[in-house]
Amino acid sequence: MESEKFNKFVGILNKFAAVVNNQKYIIGIKNTFATLLPVIMAGAFATLFSSVVFSPEIGLAQVESLSFLAQFKPIADVINYFTMNFLTIYVVFVLGHEIGKLNKLKGVFPGVVAVISYLVMNPSFINFVTEDGTSLEIRNVLSRQYTNPEGLFLGMFMAVLSIELYTWLGNQDRLKIKMPDSVPEAVSNSFSSLIPTIFTITLSATFGFIIHFVTGMYASQIIYSLVQKPLEGLIQGLPGILLLMFVAQVFWVVGIHGMQMVKPIREPLLLAAIAANTAAFQAGEAVPNIVTMPYWDIYMTFGGSGATLGLLISIFLVSKRADYRKIAKMSFIPGLFNINEPLIYGLPIMLNPILAIPFIITPLITGTIGYFAISLGFAARSVVMVPWPVPAIINGYLSTAGDLGTVFTQIVCIIVSILIYLPFVKAANRSMVNEAEALN
């Protein structure tokens, strides 16, 4: 009876996962951030080189014989600026292109429409106050807050909304300008999309104007204040990030890729957080965010989801099961690079009541340790986006631009994960004996 209820529960979760993963906008968002990961990495490593190598204050350039390195710092700084501080623009373009592809539109033009539709929602001036208190209005410029991660949620919303509108208008035959057959296809297509483009951009600008006229605030300010900032606050708090991890782990246990399920929520918030940290670090300001994408990787998924580096070591230490030890040997090298599907599906961990418990609770405990270590100032906040396959210890050192407190905290988390997994691996030994006795 209990087994039937559990199977029914798993079936419901699988149906829910299928609905979510097949949702057009979820697919578009996941594809967008996967596409832009190299851009984020480029900006992150530019920051790393700027501070660790080229900086005459804290980098290698402070060594007299290597002082010539300081002259290359502007190269890293300009790369960082035009990657991290323009992230929203890149996201809007790629997401518009992805939604366009899913709507059967050809070419990259939907990405252009999405970017323009987002930009016309924002003011084209900034107010500048001089040292003597004089207020100046500088026109025909775009404030950085509309291109950096602060504008991410409005940008994503407008990318989806504008391309859906553009697609619908493009399907209205009466709005198409038909050209003679003798006209080249490229020219004919551009005329066909002329009216849908004008209508989409005009309606976007009008929408932005109405919002400002009625509220006195721009749409970006409203979205950031009412949606993005509260979500960032929730995820930046320990309960919020632990809840997100818990949901991911539960999906893994029932056989669904947990990281893919939480990715549409996790990526915009945690990537925006590390981008903000990188920008602050580059500017010499206080680094604002504890919870970032590297925090997730350093403290909660070393060895892969479930912090299974601890499970691998536990198996080598105490497991008497030949099947576990064989799978662990095969999984060890991938596990060092945070790839643990061989473990999850090989042992297996999914639908395994013995290993499911530590698999769920371990990242929650290690994540808590990391959070308090950072809060107390023992470990540093991440300022560099490090690729997720970078092995444990190395990723902690690189992401914090060489903080040894982070390295020590990560070692503590690995030891804790081993201690959590050990009794459950021993329980799996007893389970094997019981199964053998039952067969005899």
Tab-separated table of all heavy atoms in Angstrom, residues 31 51 62 64 69 71 94 106 157 183 191 234 236 272 351 369 403 410 415:
chain	number	residue	atom	x	y	z
A	31	ASN	N	18.170	27.782	-22.279
A	31	ASN	CA	19.065	27.860	-23.429
A	31	ASN	C	19.840	29.179	-23.452
A	31	ASN	O	21.014	29.219	-23.837
A	31	ASN	CB	18.279	27.703	-24.731
A	31	ASN	CG	17.752	26.299	-24.929
A	31	ASN	OD1	18.160	25.369	-24.234
A	31	ASN	ND2	16.833	26.123	-25.864
A	51	SER	N	42.805	41.557	-10.715
A	51	SER	CA	43.129	41.685	-9.299
A	51	SER	C	44.346	40.844	-8.895
A	51	SER	O	45.215	41.303	-8.162
A	51	SER	CB	41.924	41.286	-8.448
A	51	SER	OG	41.529	39.958	-8.727
A	62	GLN	N	52.554	43.894	-7.843
A	62	GLN	CA	53.156	44.596	-6.705
A	62	GLN	C	54.612	44.156	-6.484
A	62	GLN	O	55.378	44.839	-5.806
A	62	GLN	CB	52.344	44.364	-5.437
A	62	GLN	CG	52.322	42.927	-4.943
A	62	GLN	CD	51.431	42.748	-3.733
A	62	GLN	OE1	51.519	43.494	-2.784
A	62	GLN	NE2	50.554	41.748	-3.783
A	64	GLU	N	58.270	43.978	-7.491
A	64	GLU	CA	59.018	44.960	-8.285
A	64	GLU	C	59.426	44.422	-9.652
A	64	GLU	O	59.302	45.113	-10.671
A	64	GLU	CB	60.264	45.401	-7.513
A	64	GLU	CG	60.997	46.551	-8.193
A	64	GLU	CD	62.157	47.062	-7.362
A	64	GLU	OE1	62.278	46.646	-6.190
A	64	GLU	OE2	62.935	47.859	-7.883
A	69	LEU	N	53.496	44.335	-15.313
A	69	LEU	CA	52.182	43.735	-15.556
A	69	LEU	C	51.051	44.732	-15.344
A	69	LEU	O	49.968	44.581	-15.920
A	69	LEU	CB	51.986	42.523	-14.634
A	69	LEU	CG	52.861	41.296	-14.899
A	69	LEU	CD1	52.684	40.265	-13.794
A	69	LEU	CD2	52.519	40.683	-16.257
A	71	GLN	N	50.583	47.591	-16.463
A	71	GLN	CA	50.167	48.319	-17.667
A	71	GLN	C	49.123	47.549	-18.475
A	71	GLN	O	48.450	48.125	-19.332
A	71	GLN	CB	51.390	48.618	-18.532
A	71	GLN	CG	52.085	47.383	-19.079
A	71	GLN	CD	53.362	47.711	-19.824
A	71	GLN	OE1	53.394	48.628	-20.649
A	71	GLN	NE2	54.442	46.983	-19.520
A	94	VAL	N	19.588	37.195	-26.783
A	94	VAL	CA	19.602	35.735	-26.963
A	94	VAL	C	18.240	35.139	-26.625
A	94	VAL	O	17.757	34.243	-27.335
A	94	VAL	CB	20.708	35.092	-26.098
A	94	VAL	CG1	20.680	33.572	-26.239
A	94	VAL	CG2	22.077	35.606	-26.509
A	106	LYS	N	12.625	32.736	-38.431
A	106	LYS	CA	13.959	32.505	-38.965
A	106	LYS	C	14.881	33.679	-38.662
A	106	LYS	O	14.444	34.816	-38.541
A	106	LYS	CB	13.890	32.281	-40.479
A	106	LYS	CG	13.116	31.027	-40.890
A	106	LYS	CD	13.089	30.876	-42.397
A	106	LYS	CE	12.318	29.624	-42.819
A	106	LYS	NZ	12.270	29.495	-44.300
A	157	PHE	N	11.324	39.702	-19.310
A	157	PHE	CA	9.882	39.862	-19.519
A	157	PHE	C	9.609	40.493	-20.878
A	157	PHE	O	8.751	40.027	-21.641
A	157	PHE	CB	9.297	40.713	-18.391
A	157	PHE	CG	7.847	41.056	-18.580
A	157	PHE	CD1	6.852	40.111	-18.347
A	157	PHE	CD2	7.474	42.328	-19.000
A	157	PHE	CE1	5.511	40.432	-18.526
A	157	PHE	CE2	6.149	42.654	-19.189
A	157	PHE	CZ	5.157	41.710	-18.949
A	183	VAL	N	11.515	40.353	-56.580
A	183	VAL	CA	12.295	40.981	-55.500
A	183	VAL	C	13.047	39.893	-54.730
A	183	VAL	O	12.475	38.847	-54.414
A	183	VAL	CB	11.359	41.754	-54.541
A	183	VAL	CG1	12.142	42.296	-53.342
A	183	VAL	CG2	10.665	42.884	-55.286
A	191	PHE	N	10.505	43.537	-45.765
A	191	PHE	CA	9.270	44.317	-45.917
A	191	PHE	C	8.101	43.625	-45.220
A	191	PHE	O	7.214	44.283	-44.664
A	191	PHE	CB	8.961	44.539	-47.404
A	191	PHE	CG	9.613	45.763	-47.978
A	191	PHE	CD1	10.851	45.687	-48.580
A	191	PHE	CD2	8.991	46.999	-47.881
A	191	PHE	CE1	11.473	46.820	-49.089
A	191	PHE	CE2	9.597	48.138	-48.390
A	191	PHE	CZ	10.845	48.057	-49.003
A	234	LEU	N	15.140	36.935	-0.939
A	234	LEU	CA	14.758	35.596	-0.489
A	234	LEU	C	15.891	34.609	-0.701
A	234	LEU	O	16.245	33.842	0.206
A	234	LEU	CB	13.508	35.134	-1.254
A	234	LEU	CG	13.019	33.709	-0.971
A	234	LEU	CD1	12.571	33.580	0.482
A	234	LEU	CD2	11.889	33.322	-1.915
A	236	GLN	N	19.044	35.325	-1.190
A	236	GLN	CA	20.237	35.713	-0.441
A	236	GLN	C	20.152	35.295	1.023
A	236	GLN	O	21.168	35.171	1.694
A	236	GLN	CB	20.456	37.227	-0.531
A	236	GLN	CG	21.117	37.678	-1.818
A	236	GLN	CD	22.470	37.043	-2.040
A	236	GLN	OE1	23.313	37.024	-1.158
A	236	GLN	NE2	22.680	36.508	-3.231
A	272	ALA	N	23.161	36.934	-11.515
A	272	ALA	CA	23.099	38.379	-11.277
A	272	ALA	C	23.869	38.736	-10.012
A	272	ALA	O	24.544	39.777	-9.948
A	272	ALA	CB	21.648	38.835	-11.163
A	351	LEU	N	15.519	6.839	-5.728
A	351	LEU	CA	14.596	5.800	-5.235
A	351	LEU	C	15.288	4.827	-4.277
A	351	LEU	O	14.846	3.692	-4.118
A	351	LEU	CB	13.963	5.037	-6.406
A	351	LEU	CG	13.206	5.877	-7.436
A	351	LEU	CD1	12.657	4.998	-8.546
A	351	LEU	CD2	12.099	6.676	-6.797
A	369	ILE	N	27.005	25.779	6.744
A	369	ILE	CA	28.363	26.038	7.251
A	369	ILE	C	29.029	27.146	6.432
A	369	ILE	O	29.618	28.090	6.979
A	369	ILE	CB	29.214	24.752	7.204
A	369	ILE	CG1	28.674	23.720	8.194
A	369	ILE	CG2	30.688	25.056	7.500
A	369	ILE	CD1	29.307	22.360	8.060
A	403	ASP	N	41.327	33.505	-1.480
A	403	ASP	CA	41.063	33.561	-0.034
A	403	ASP	C	41.267	32.184	0.601
A	403	ASP	O	40.573	31.221	0.252
A	403	ASP	CB	39.634	34.044	0.222
A	403	ASP	CG	39.313	34.104	1.695
A	403	ASP	OD1	39.914	34.937	2.394
A	403	ASP	OD2	38.479	33.305	2.152
A	410	GLN	N	35.830	25.101	2.896
A	410	GLN	CA	35.412	24.058	1.965
A	410	GLN	C	35.955	22.699	2.396
A	410	GLN	O	35.249	21.680	2.283
A	410	GLN	CB	35.877	24.400	0.545
A	410	GLN	CG	35.189	23.544	-0.526
A	410	GLN	CD	35.598	23.933	-1.925
A	410	GLN	OE1	36.694	24.445	-2.140
A	410	GLN	NE2	34.727	23.679	-2.884
A	415	ILE	N	34.802	17.303	4.866
A	415	ILE	CA	34.913	16.375	6.000
A	415	ILE	C	33.540	16.114	6.614
A	415	ILE	O	33.192	14.963	6.920
A	415	ILE	CB	35.880	16.946	7.059
A	415	ILE	CG1	37.313	16.993	6.499
A	415	ILE	CG2	35.842	16.114	8.334
A	415	ILE	CD1	38.290	17.741	7.379
